Amino acid sequence: MRVAASLAADHRGAELWVQHSDRLARGDGKRARHVVEIALWALKADVSVCSVQDPDTFRDLLYAVVTGQRNHEDSKRKGAASAAGKRRAAVRGDYAGSLVDGFRVAVDVDERGFVTKRAEIDPTRKPLFDLMFRLARRGESPSAIASRLNARGWLTKPAARAQSPVPFTAQRVIVALSNPRYAGLSFYKGEILGPAKSPRYITPGAWQALQDHPRRARRPTGLPQEPFLLRRLLVCRVCGSGMISVPSPPRLDGTRRRDYICHRHLHGHCAAGPVEAGAVEHSLIAALGRYLTDQDSRTPHQASVDEPPSFNWKMSAPSAAPIAEHLRARIRGAVADGDDTLVDELLNDLADHRRRQPGLNGVRSDRSGYEHALLRDFNAWSADLFAGRALEKAETHRLNAILRRLFDRIEIETASTNVHITPIVHAEASSKPAGERPITVDKLAWRAAVLRTGQGHRARERWTDNELVFALKQWALINGRSPVTTDWARATTEYPHAHTIYQHFGTWSQALRAAQLTPAPRRADRRRPSRDPRTGRYLRDGTVSGTRV
């Protein structure tokens, strides 16, 4: 669809061929895309959609509505029938679903040529799972079982071809011990339905005893869902794969770090590292006014109240202001000359130029307040994020849907100190071809700005040089002098331990110089006795050799 819209903009029309309209959309318009949305997109983008099996669907919007409703009902019926069939197969004891590690597919062909498939124990992996369940029945912990398996050279079996085998972890052992397939039980969506026809590694009674054991209680295999504003939008500019939203394990205060990580980076095929989700989301929201409102591209970015003040913004979009200024100058000249016909033509050109500016649904001249209301919603969400307040999932999903209608994708590239964000506007959101407007964000400035809000440093997170410099300056401003090593003998949320300073700067003096601070005056050692200026003898407790001074 993106390529067809681009070709239509360059050649005044294009055709998009598809096997059936349900290949493009089969939703009800609320939970998934409706066919009529495709028809409206094609109408606005000058694209002709040619469906082979239902050629009349995109002939008219009324046909698109009717066919889309039919596609949704048909898909819903097929999904319900497929789920019911899988449950019936599980009740019969057939092996339904994907194979788990330790089993393989066996194919049987009878004398009539009828092919049947069944699951059987993989002989190459049988010693692994025999050892795992034997150690579990002895009372070994999952971490101890994982260590024993790794010591014998066993590796996990990847679920996809692109993945590589990795050593076992305690979580992987817990998942295997909790799977009822290894006990020869059939289940569907977490409900055990009875014995299965496949072989087993452990008896059902022994497996149930492992589940009832307090040390074998099944732990959640995943973390609760976190609200990510740019979900299904971010794309790694280095390798072109999607960015995955990953929350970190809980911190000591109950919060979690939110990151975007390249999918290929997780498998070692991309050099792009993770980037903090809060910095990327706040940065895009701060520059969102250029896409929603009718600001000219040359207008400098104005920082919002909740925005980190030291951000480095760089909007490199081509300016459309000179065109508008040229048209206004010609209008003033035509008014001075009294040429009403030319004035009307130039006014129409100016209005058409304003409508062509990228914006939501391509409407710029309509000042109904909808775009400004959206900006207020996004800024309120960003303020909650920056203040550390809990984010509502429903509101995040709503704003994410708006961004997905506005942007085709958002490319991101991480450097050593900066993050380069490039939003790609949808072709149907503007009468112009889809374009780029890069944004450059300073990661270190973001971390220092978080400290300025009073949130403090998060536990289990590394301090950056920029944060340490800011902490030194802030401590000196509050206490009226530069800190010394003994002042930072204990770490707090406002400043780290003194050892962290030595790890980053080498010496305490170099850290003070980086913060543009002068060392505190050297304090005299009170334990060392002083001398009497007349006799030269040492003063001890106010006396000189027993004589009162």
Side-chain angles (χ1 to χ4, degrees), residues 26 69-85:
R26 58 176 66 177
Q69 197 67 19
R70 170 60 184 167
N71 290 347
H72 172 64
E73 295 296 334
D74 188 56
S75 177
K76 184 178 179 181
R77 182 192 62 80
K78 290 180 180 179
S82 177

Side-chain angles (χ1 to χ4, degrees), residues 61-134:
L61 289 179
L62 182 60
Y63 282 95
V65 172
V66 175
T67 307
Q69 197 67 19
R70 170 60 184 167
N71 290 347
H72 172 64
E73 295 296 334
D74 188 56
S75 177
K76 184 178 179 181
R77 182 192 62 80
K78 290 180 180 179
S82 177
K86 290 182 179 179
R87 181 179 177 84
R88 288 195 300 269
V91 171
R92 292 194 304 266
D94 297 340
Y95 198 103
S98 59
L99 284 175
V100 297
D101 191 7
F103 293 92
R104 68 179 184 181
V105 178
V107 181
D108 298 328
V109 183
D110 58 10
E111 62 277 1
R112 296 177 297 175
F114 187 74
V115 179
T116 57
K117 296 182 180 180
R118 55 184 175 84
E120 65 176 12
I121 292 179
D122 189 352
T124 60
R125 307 288 287 180
K126 187 176 185 301
L128 163 65
F129 288 95
D130 287 342
L131 175 61
M132 180 187 299
F133 284 103
R134 186 166 61 251

Side-chain angles (χ1 to χ4, degrees), residues 212-354:
D212 297 338
H213 196 281
R215 297 181 63 181
R216 295 292 179 272
R218 184 169 185 176
R219 305 174 187 175
T221 58
L223 295 171
Q225 185 181 5
E226 286 286 309
F228 285 86
L229 184 66
L230 304 182
R231 178 175 171 265
R232 298 173 61 183
L233 268 173
L234 282 185
V235 175
C236 178
R237 198 161 192 176
V238 177
C239 64
S241 61
M243 302 286 287
I244 303 175
S245 51
V246 179
S248 67
R251 304 185 181 101
L252 296 179
D253 57 357
T255 61
R256 285 187 284 167
R257 177 186 173 95
R258 301 159 56 250
D259 289 325
Y260 290 108
I261 304 178
C262 175
H263 182 267
R264 291 177 59 85
H265 175 78
L266 294 177
H267 307 296
H269 302 301
C270 181
V275 61
E276 189 175 359
V280 178
E281 295 164 350
H282 190 100
S283 307
L284 181 67
I285 291 175
L288 198 59
R290 299 182 177 275
Y291 301 92
L292 291 177
T293 60
D294 54 357
Q295 305 177 41
D296 286 329
S297 299
R298 68 176 184 177
T299 305
H301 171 67
Q302 300 294 332
S304 61
V305 177
D306 303 301
E307 182 182 327
S310 58
F311 262 26
N312 174 28
W313 299 106
K314 180 181 179 183
M315 303 295 295
S316 58
S319 177
I323 301 176
E325 291 296 336
H326 175 70
L327 291 174
R328 295 189 188 101
R330 292 188 61 188
I331 291 173
R332 287 192 293 267
V335 171
D337 296 339
D339 193 346
D340 296 338
T341 304
L342 182 59
V343 169
D344 293 339
E345 293 178 357
L346 292 175
L347 286 175
N348 291 333
D349 292 342
L350 180 61
D352 184 63
H353 169 72
R354 300 295 288 180

Side-chain angles (χ1 to χ4, degrees), residues 434-491:
E436 302 179 357
R437 293 188 177 188
I439 308 168
T440 301
V441 184
D442 188 355
K443 291 191 296 186
L444 300 181
W446 164 266
R447 302 298 297 276
V450 172
L451 290 179
R452 289 191 182 93
T453 61
Q455 296 184 42
H457 193 273
R458 299 290 190 182
R460 299 181 184 177
E461 285 190 5
R462 294 183 179 274
W463 286 82
T464 63
D465 292 347
N466 200 28
E467 288 179 323
L468 293 176
V469 169
F470 177 79
L472 288 169
K473 291 181 178 180
Q474 197 73 5
W475 196 96
L477 181 63
I478 295 175
N479 296 274
R481 62 174 178 86
S482 301
V484 296
T485 307
T486 55
D487 293 327
W488 288 16
R490 294 185 61 185

